[in-house]
Amino acid sequence: MLKIIEVVRGLGLGGAETLLFRRLKHSIEAGILAPADITVINTYPRQDYYEKQFRALGVSVLNTKSNSRILSSIELVRYLGSQGKEAVLVAHSPFPASIVKAQSACRGARFPIIEVAHSTQYSWLTLSLGLVWNRYADLCIAVSDDVSRAVTTRGFRRKLVILAGVDQAEMRLWVEGSLDVALGMRESLGVKSSQRLIVAVGSLVALKGHRFLLDAVAELRDSNIHAAIVGEGDERASLEQQISRLGLVGRVHLLGRQADAWQWAAVADIIAHPSLYEGLPVALMEARVLGIPTVASDVGGIAQLFDGASASRLTAPESSADLERAIREVLDDLPLFAEEFLTRASGPTRWDISRYSREFYAALASESIKFASRSQDRN
């Protein structure tokens, strides 16, 4: 059985952390992994939403004492130096990964280093470190073809694209027994049976582009269209001011963080995702599996997600006019919510968590075998 050390920069409600939790949960429940063989190291303990959930699974969670990038990375390296050689290191954040790769270059690798690349954009410092140290990783797992081609994955000797997945069975089970709950969720926002609800899931930060969605809703000039944004962040005050300025109070709702944000997506007529850049957004994987028409910026791996989704539309980033046009096109062909809710999450999908977990752990096992073979040859 593999011993896996997963390194993250925070355990908040971000996409990478959510994917990690769901992958480990599925793999433990399916008997692929034993909880005792998994350690999660959080180098930004200020964000700890998933810590209790990991511990409930029996997974060991270690928090660095410092939130500082440099100090927490030093703590990480010291911890790794105390571990046996049978582990596989999986790094989900590029900065601590660079420190580990640098240490490996100077002192030799104790175990395989696998970095998961989730984004098409990093800071100049992180990119610079990557260009120097990425070649000392054994493998880069990119979450989409676009990420694999991006500047964020330059310098790796080997790259592998593994498309993530979500738990369709869990979604389907909820949908089958939740029509009244779904209608109640919509009614709690003041959405009547004949009205439409657009839902966006993403932190309230500038790069998510929520301001363009608000402009698009205003440009639709239709009082029967509501919008809800699930997430929290430092753009809340600015978005609240924009909602007031555009006369959208009572029709646009900021719902804050939600533990099961996908359930809000499930009660939408349309999903909107106007991000400025992305890797492979979890919210849109969920929308794809649910079968909900989606309007999203043509950035990152989103086009790959949309392959075969005829009811969805790609739009130019930072264009409220393009977003408004796409929403209008999708709305023209939609049945009423109550007529099609019970069909959600019922179709075949490539975005299933079982396939994702199998491919991910097969890659880790392969790297572990290769590393052990190289170590024997050196000895």
Side-chain angles (χ1 to χ4, degrees):
M1 187 77 75
L2 283 173
K3 290 189 179 296
I4 301 171
I5 301 171
E6 306 258 11
V7 179
V8 294
R9 181 76 181 152
L11 284 173
L13 272 170
E17 302 94 313
T18 299
L19 278 179
L20 172 60
F21 173 74
R22 291 178 180 174
R23 170 167 53 80
L24 292 182
K25 180 176 182 290
H26 171 80
S27 300
I28 290 169
E29 292 175 348
I32 299 171
L33 299 176
D37 293 324
I38 308 163
T39 300
V40 174
I41 302 178
N42 181 10
T43 65
Y44 191 65
R46 188 173 296 166
Q47 293 183 355
D48 61 357
Y49 174 82
Y50 276 114
E51 182 174 344
K52 289 182 179 179
Q53 283 89 325
F54 278 121
R55 294 190 189 280
L57 293 175
V59 172
S60 175
V61 179
L62 301 179
N63 292 309
T64 57
K65 294 178 182 178
S66 175
N67 289 290
S68 158
R69 288 179 184 271
I70 294 175
L71 294 179
S72 64
S73 296
I74 292 172
E75 289 182 57
L76 170 64
V77 167
R78 287 174 178 167
Y79 170 80
L80 295 176
S82 69
Q83 299 304 295
K85 295 184 178 182
E86 70 277 9
V88 176
L89 176 70
V90 183
H92 297 269
S93 180
F95 190 90
S98 290
I99 303 301
V100 172
K101 288 177 287 190
Q103 193 263 357
S104 172
C106 296
R107 298 187 180 181
R110 294 176 58 83
F111 32 65
I113 300 171
I114 298 173
E115 185 168 338
V116 183
H118 295 272
S119 180
T120 58
Q121 293 192 26
Y122 291 153
S123 70
W124 69 268
L125 175 59
T126 300
L127 288 173
S128 299
L129 289 171
L131 288 174
V132 175
W133 302 117
N134 281 351
R135 64 181 179 273
Y136 295 101
D138 293 271
L139 177 68
C140 170
I141 295 177
V143 299
S144 71
D145 290 340
D146 196 72
V147 171
S148 179
R149 294 188 293 264
V151 65
T152 51
T153 60
R154 286 182 183 172
F156 288 102
R157 292 175 297 169
R158 295 173 51 243
K159 292 186 279 189
L160 175 66
V161 175
I162 299 181
L163 302 175
V166 298
D167 194 337
Q168 183 182 24
E170 178 187 11
M171 290 179 166
R172 182 61 193 159
L173 185 64
W174 185 82
V175 166
E176 288 178 333
S178 299
L179 177 58
D180 289 342
V181 173
L183 292 172
M185 291 168 70
R186 290 167 64 96
E187 289 169 3
S188 72
L189 303 179
V191 181
K192 298 177 182 178
S193 60
S194 61
Q195 294 180 322
R196 300 299 193 177
L197 175 62
I198 302 167
V199 171
V201 178
S203 299
L204 305 188
V205 294
L207 67 88
K208 291 299 181 182
H210 296 308
R211 61 192 181 277
F212 300 105
L213 174 60
L214 299 187
D215 284 339
V217 172
E219 289 167 11
L220 286 166
R221 294 181 174 84
D222 189 338
S223 60
N224 287 315
I225 296 175
H226 287 244
I229 302 175
V230 181
E232 195 54 81
D234 56 17
E235 287 279 298
R236 172 177 277 273
S238 175
L239 293 172
E240 288 174 339
Q241 292 171 7
Q242 186 180 2
I243 290 168
S244 178
R245 184 176 69 254
L246 294 173
L248 298 175
V249 175
R251 287 204 296 122
V252 174
H253 317 272
L254 303 182
L255 303 183
R257 290 189 179 93
Q258 302 287 330
D260 291 311
W262 67 266
Q263 292 178 2
W264 278 104
V267 305
D269 294 287
I270 296 177
I271 299 298
H273 201 82
S275 284
L276 279 60
Y277 68 88
E278 282 287 359
L280 191 73
V282 175
L284 293 195
M285 272 188 280
E286 293 166 341
R288 189 76 170 87
V289 171
L290 285 163
I292 302 173
T294 302
V295 173
S297 303
D298 188 4
V299 295
I302 292 178
Q304 196 167 4
L305 265 168
F306 274 26
D307 184 31
S310 59
S312 296
R313 300 287 187 277
L314 290 169
T315 67
E318 301 185 68
S319 173
S320 57
D322 206 23
L323 195 60
E324 180 265 335
R325 174 196 55 76
I327 291 171
R328 195 180 296 278
E329 287 179 3
V330 172
L331 282 175
D332 285 344
D333 297 325
L334 283 186
L336 291 177
F337 172 78
E339 295 174 2
E340 56 85 44
F341 172 74
L342 291 177
T343 68
R344 293 185 169 175
S346 60
T349 180
R350 68 186 294 196
W351 304 100
D352 184 66
I353 197 166
S354 297
R355 185 270 314 156
Y356 168 48
S357 297
R358 287 194 305 271
E359 292 181 5
F360 195 92
Y361 293 115
L364 266 58
S366 175
E367 292 307 311
S368 180
I369 292 169
K370 291 175 185 176
F371 185 86
S373 177
R374 291 196 301 270
S375 297
Q376 286 181 345
D377 291 343
R378 285 195 295 268
N379 295 333

